[in-house]
Amino acid sequence: NEFLRKDCFNVNAFFKNKGGLDPMSTRALYEFVIDSSIGEADEDAAIERIQASAASKDDVENDDAIFMEMFLPRSLMEVSNV
């Protein structure tokens, strides 16, 4: 999970800095990648939903900063209130 989260951050940073694009938040990209309910036929619709619900640039930067610092458990043993 940590590696995927960092990869999503790096992909967004690349397209933001080199491509001059305004990508979705790192969290939105991460959730898109791990969502097993999205099939190939549903990808475009899912991306449109994400873009439609996109927050302002300041909110995205704040959300990314919080998301990158969040603890993501790897197993149920790492969750204390199960």
Side-chain angles (χ1 to χ4, degrees), residues 2 5-6 9 26 63-71:
E2 183 64 32
R5 179 168 52 176
K6 187 66 176 165
F9 177 81
T26 301
D63 186 43
D64 283 352
I66 293 168
F67 179 65
M68 292 305 292
E69 296 297 322
M70 282 176 43
F71 171 70

Side-chain angles (χ1 to χ4, degrees), residues 8-25:
C8 291
F9 177 81
N10 290 337
V11 166
N12 275 353
F14 174 81
F15 285 107
K16 189 181 300 182
N17 297 332
K18 301 288 183 184
L21 301 175
D22 192 22
M24 66 181 79
S25 72

